[in-house]
Amino acid sequence: MKTTLTPLDPADFIGPAPVTEPDPSQPDDTSQGDDAGSANAEDSDVSAGDGSPDGSSSGDSEAANERFIGPRVKLTVEVDAETFDADIEAAFRKLAREVRIPGFRPGRAPRRVLESHFGSEIGRAQALEEAVPRYYAEAVRDNRVDVVNQPELELTLDGSDGPVAFEATVEVRPVVSVAGYEDLQIEIPSPEPSDEEIDARIDETRRQFADIAQVDRAAAQGDRVTIDIEGSVEGEPLPGLSAQDYLYEVGSGGIVPEVDEHLTGCEAGADLSFSAPHPVQPEMEIDFEITVNLVSELVLPELTDDWVDENTEHDSVAELRDVTTRQLSFGRIMQANMVLRDEAQKQIADLVEGPVPDAMVSGAIADRMQELGSGLQQRNMTIEEWLEATGQEPASFIGELRDDAERGVRLDLALRAVAVAESLEADDDDIDGELERMAATDGRSAAQLREVIAETDGLAHLTSAICKSKALQWAIEAATLIGPDGDTIERSALELPTTGDAGGADDSDAEGDTDSNLDHTDSDDRGDTP
């Protein structure tokens, strides 16, 4: 098989073109992206090229939106007569298994007999239908064409007299260059807890052993009040909202916010009457009648070494404070690392200027819809039901989905550019390591996964995903970290404490927040296995 690759002029494919967004209320089984050149090729029509350059019909032009069609290439594929004849032979063998010919057992009728019954064209037509997509996929793989959409196939030789030839016009991933990734400035929350946070966490423990003491003053947030309460709707008592001498914490939000608002500042003996919306049925008003009988406050135990030794697993106040600080630091560092990664991805994606190919955006939307649909299917819920339950309008949901997909495409292009600019590559150790991580949750060995992925051309996608992960990590490590007050945060401050230092927290994924979790790069190269 001979293949000639010809780049096409991008200017021929830029302009208004119809954009069809998926209907969230309908299932979407289609997917575009890196696999468009192989599995999806079988869905392409082998025709005389009667489709429009963007693959859409002219009837959609009235709803056209401005979109960008990325670079395209033309693959001219020539298949010799001997190779194609083998596919014709295979087509007749398949036909023999599907039809009954008198005098022959199923599957045993020779080709010449089948040709006499059905004509020679039936085998050739079947071979074209099944083999041309395979020829195309092989040409894409051998020439390393990074396709992002389904091809437009046009036969130039139909094999009626020997060889087969066709042209495949397909959109490919654009190669961009980005500037500024070397010196990102990223604001992150402080990885160190404040003294107030540490004191508040220790006080949570002290509250578990607190006493309640009556006070002669107005109720404040955190106080306990003993109340008689009655809630009614249009004069009818509301079940569960009538009680005598009920102990309630002011500010807890345990009933409705208006109850806390009216109790704050009240002294013992106060009578309150007010109305508030029902928490579940806002159109319904609840009438409250509340009498404040007592106002009490929590009296925390004195924080001493003896109390700590007796009531906690620690020996002293200093030890309790030290362990509490490390536990809070662990959570703070985790949060700072997550913010760092998210902000780095946003800033890197913003480095890609101008429009991005709509085919890539549409493919990303389809991926997200498919992922959402699969998750909802496990809960026996349709997307339409989910939208209704979450109060989202389909149009706004699709708009947000498209914005998110476009950001993902920009990030994908930018990270590829960074990987090329910094010569970041995936070696055998990188691939083996990622296969080992995948095997830990897949149920198959790394060797089995490698074999399966290689059979489906997935190693190229896995390699690309590793390179993009390295590019993201490179940019994160090169970034300047800024704290909430504008001060510079040292990189060492984001190192997670060990398991013992964190007071039992698990640091097994300590490096994962800034290292190579491939699915966090928000791209279409996830290295997924079939």
Side-chain angles (χ1 to χ4, degrees), residues 34 173 341-342 344-346 348-349 360-361 363-365 367-368 371 400-416 465 468-469 472 515 517-526:
D34 287 325
R173 192 187 313 272
R341 188 179 186 87
D342 290 343
Q345 291 184 103
K346 291 177 183 176
I348 293 172
M360 294 185 66
V361 176
I365 291 174
D367 288 343
R368 285 159 171 75
E371 183 177 355
E400 293 175 3
L401 193 64
R402 184 172 184 84
D403 290 342
D404 179 65
E406 183 174 329
R407 282 192 297 270
V409 170
R410 291 183 183 277
L411 179 63
D412 170 77
L413 297 176
L415 290 177
R416 290 171 186 268
K468 288 187 292 183
S469 183
L472 177 60
D515 209 349
N517 281 346
L518 300 185
D519 57 341
H520 286 180
T521 57
D522 199 15
S523 68
D524 55 358
D525 274 332
R526 301 179 181 88

Side-chain angles (χ1 to χ4, degrees), residues 85-113:
D85 190 65
D87 285 305
I88 295 177
E89 186 69 34
F92 274 112
R93 286 197 299 270
K94 181 179 179 181
L95 178 63
R97 294 191 296 269
E98 296 173 350
V99 300
R100 281 191 164 278
I101 302 295
F104 295 93
R105 286 182 294 173
R108 294 306 183 98
R111 173 175 172 176
R112 56 181 177 76
V113 174

Side-chain angles (χ1 to χ4, degrees), residues 398-463:
I398 286 296
E400 293 175 3
L401 193 64
R402 184 172 184 84
D403 290 342
D404 179 65
E406 183 174 329
R407 282 192 297 270
V409 170
R410 291 183 183 277
L411 179 63
D412 170 77
L413 297 176
L415 290 177
R416 290 171 186 268
V418 173
V420 171
E422 299 301 328
S423 301
L424 303 174
E425 299 179 349
D427 56 28
D428 289 340
D429 289 340
D430 295 324
I431 294 174
D432 289 342
E434 187 57 36
L435 289 173
E436 289 289 349
R437 282 190 287 271
M438 295 164 61
T441 57
D442 184 84
R444 288 173 285 186
S445 68
Q448 290 173 322
L449 286 176
R450 177 182 282 273
E451 182 178 349
V452 172
I453 291 175
E455 290 176 353
T456 57
D457 302 328
L459 280 179
H461 307 326
L462 180 60
T463 299

